[in-house]
Amino acid sequence: MSDKRLAVLLASFMILGACTQLDATSSVAPERGDPDFLEGVNARADELYVNREVQPGVRDFRNVYIAPANLANMRVIQPEGATADEGWLITEPEEKILQKAIAREFSAGLSFGSAFNIVDDQEQAEIIVNTAVVAIHPNESRDAVVAGAKASGAITVSIALVNEASGAVMVRSIDTKSSDDIWAFNQVDNDDPAIDLIFRSWANSIRRGMLHLQGRSNDPLVQPIVLQEQ
């Protein structure tokens, strides 16, 4: 299997931010419209971009470093007509809990079945997973939830796989995932199954995509995607 095909397969499962950060007021990937990146069609993610250049040695990459997530630019997209709600601002203790959850779930997902080695030092890695939480989308206002409305909504993230040696973004994906308990992100005071479930799902997708990318799996859930000019 060629390195380019590996990048294509992996792309169908990627989701969040890389060395080029997302704009604080936009969920548009920096690679959108960039001729150096092909756009994935029929991918699992909402947006998918793959570097045109073959990434040498990708098939043999095993060491993965999970970088701390970027939460600084996260937006809260309120329901229609709702006013700004400062209660959604992430405090320092909440950020520590979220960072811990992302690191834990991504590490568990990627290392499952000894698929990949999670390293603590970026210099030991071949692939860096960069994550940015782009936006939280609560379906209901705080008053409505207090009154008994469903605490559902969605979270948008950007995930990028970066070649540690070159610093190049190999794959970026932006994806929005729904949750029946998006308000778990509102007041984070401890480990929460609702939060873990969202990041666990992305972690499992990354692992499956990477294994297929490297020709190490025959997972029937993986569907071929098409890459096209932007």
Side-chain angles (χ1 to χ4, degrees), residues 215-229:
R216 295 197 285 148
S217 171
N218 293 311
D219 191 339
L221 295 177
V222 174
Q223 298 297 322
I225 67 169
V226 176
L227 294 179
Q228 63 181 23
E229 302 277 348

Side-chain angles (χ1 to χ4, degrees), residues 6-211:
L6 189 61
V8 170
L9 287 172
L10 176 56
S12 64
F13 292 92
M14 291 298 87
I15 324 152
L16 313 160
C19 19
T20 302
Q21 297 299 338
L22 298 175
D23 185 274
T25 60
S26 173
S27 59
V28 175
E31 293 79 13
R32 182 187 289 186
D34 186 337
D36 290 336
F37 284 81
L38 298 172
E39 182 178 7
V41 179
N42 299 326
R44 288 187 174 186
D46 298 333
E47 288 190 72
L48 177 69
Y49 302 98
V50 180
N51 196 317
R52 286 176 178 272
E53 297 298 321
V54 174
Q55 302 293 327
V58 172
R59 287 179 296 175
D60 299 321
F61 285 179
R62 295 291 185 275
N63 293 339
V64 178
Y65 174 74
I66 300 168
N70 173 17
L71 305 177
N73 294 332
M74 186 191 81
R75 295 180 298 142
V76 177
I77 301 176
Q78 294 285 3
E80 185 69 26
T83 58
D85 184 350
E86 293 187 358
W88 279 96
L89 296 177
I90 296 178
T91 65
E92 184 175 344
E94 289 177 329
E95 177 168 354
K96 289 181 179 179
I97 294 172
L98 288 175
Q99 293 284 9
K100 178 182 175 183
I102 293 171
R104 179 180 61 247
E105 297 303 328
F106 276 30
S107 295
L110 288 167
S111 63
F112 180 79
S114 300
F116 295 93
N117 306 317
I118 307 302
V119 297
D120 296 327
D121 187 342
Q122 181 172 324
E123 294 183 355
Q124 297 176 332
E126 293 153 320
I127 299 173
I128 301 173
V129 178
N130 282 343
T131 304
V133 179
V134 177
I136 299 287
H137 316 256
N139 288 342
E140 302 289 348
S141 68
R142 185 178 301 274
D143 289 343
V145 171
V146 170
K150 290 185 62 177
S152 57
I155 179 172
T156 299
V157 295
S158 165
I159 295 177
L161 299 184
V162 177
N163 186 319
E164 199 283 331
S166 67
V169 175
M170 297 185 289
V171 179
R172 184 193 296 274
S173 173
I174 295 181
D175 191 55
T176 298
K177 188 173 293 297
S178 298
S179 172
D180 290 335
D181 188 14
I182 200 64
W183 281 77
F185 286 86
N186 177 241
Q187 292 181 333
V188 184
D189 55 12
N190 209 331
D191 294 341
D192 191 300
I195 293 175
D196 292 348
L197 184 62
I198 289 177
F199 292 118
R200 186 178 308 153
S201 175
W202 276 315
N204 288 333
S205 290
I206 294 170
R207 185 192 71 253
R208 288 196 298 266
M210 291 174 73
L211 287 174

